[in-house]
Amino acid sequence: MNRIKQYISEYYLENAGAMPTITQIANAMEVVRSTAYTYLVAMDRQGLIRYQDGKVSVRELDKILVDSEQVDAVGEINCGEPALEEANLLYRTSLPTAIFGKGPFYILKAKGDSMVDAGIESGDTLVIRKNAEPKLGDIVVALDENNENTLKHYAGIDKESNKVVLEYMNQEVYPDKKILVSTLICQGVLSHVIKTM
């Protein structure tokens, strides 16, 4: 039942306030519609969700979404080699401040496999805090010398070259790989990862 509740919450956040249908819930949970219906009715009785007239909502979302912030989803971020990506408004959604805190934020879609050791997989939705001063160990949206951006682990300054170290986080595929840049131009710091289902 917790999986269903989590799916509903994540669906809401990724789809600009829309709620999934019972068919979508059944497909996501890999059960038939009648089983999904039984779960939803039971969850409504337990106060976990509200399920009335074939419509679903999460009770906590009803409360926490009153205080929310409008956030723009502006494209993809390459998690491998830096790439030139243009920012284009894809959609706008609300992020509840009770979960995400105060922004300002923007949203990117992860692309690539270089950050899997940090729990970031291709297709994940990334909530990025704008205007944040990066700290050692943060995951940052960084520009390199070619004005190409990438998502990397900020590892401080390399003592030999005196350059900023941006690390890959996938030891199996990119063992100890890093990028050195003269100056860290940080376009934001990772705040939250919303996993794809």
Side-chain angles (χ1 to χ4, degrees):
M1 289 188 185
N2 283 336
R3 277 187 64 220
I4 294 175
K5 187 176 174 185
Q6 181 181 356
Y7 170 73
I8 294 168
S9 300
E10 290 178 353
Y11 185 97
Y12 182 98
L13 294 173
E14 291 178 3
N15 292 279
M19 285 291 181
T21 64
I22 189 169
T23 301
Q24 289 170 315
I25 293 169
N27 290 341
M29 298 300 113
E30 300 179 342
V31 297
V32 295
R33 280 188 48 147
S34 59
T35 301
Y37 172 80
T38 302
Y39 277 124
L40 292 172
V41 170
M43 291 171 73
D44 181 69
R45 284 193 192 121
Q46 294 175 27
L48 297 173
I49 63 167
R50 181 177 294 123
Y51 181 66
Q52 293 177 331
D53 302 321
K55 294 185 178 176
V56 177
S57 66
V58 176
R59 293 183 190 276
E60 289 87 344
L61 284 178
D62 293 342
K63 296 171 188 171
I64 64 179
L65 288 173
V66 172
D67 186 14
S68 62
E69 183 173 331
Q70 290 293 308
V71 179
D72 294 337
V74 295
E76 295 182 318
I77 180 71
N78 208 28
C79 295
E81 294 299 314
L84 192 59
E85 297 283 354
E86 289 188 22
N88 295 306
L89 179 62
L90 302 177
Y91 61 89
R92 179 168 285 162
T93 190
S94 295
L95 294 181
T97 55
I99 295 174
F100 295 93
K102 293 282 188 185
F105 298 113
Y106 64 97
I107 291 174
L108 293 170
K109 192 70 84 171
K111 182 173 70 172
D113 63 355
S114 78
M115 298 302 290
V116 296
D117 292 347
I120 300 168
E121 299 173 303
S122 197
D124 287 347
T125 299
L126 309 176
V127 179
I128 307 296
R129 184 178 295 279
K130 290 193 261 186
N131 309 323
E133 190 66 35
K135 299 181 184 70
L136 195 65
D138 280 345
I139 306 294
V140 298
V141 177
L143 278 181
D144 69 6
E145 277 88 353
N146 301 314
N147 277 336
E148 295 176 329
N149 60 21
T150 186
L151 188 77
K152 290 289 173 285
H153 175 256
Y154 171 48
I157 306 296
D158 179 66
K159 291 178 182 175
E160 291 180 15
S161 65
N162 207 32
K163 290 188 174 184
V164 176
V165 181
L166 300 173
E167 293 180 330
Y168 285 63
M169 299 287 287
N170 184 338
Q171 278 297 316
E172 184 178 339
V173 180
Y174 310 102
D176 300 320
K177 186 168 182 179
K178 60 183 115 176
I179 298 170
L180 299 177
V181 293
S182 299
T183 306
L184 175 61
I185 303 173
C186 179
Q187 297 185 311
V189 173
L190 179 69
S191 175
H192 290 78
V193 178
I194 302 172
K195 303 300 289 181
T196 54
M197 294 297 286

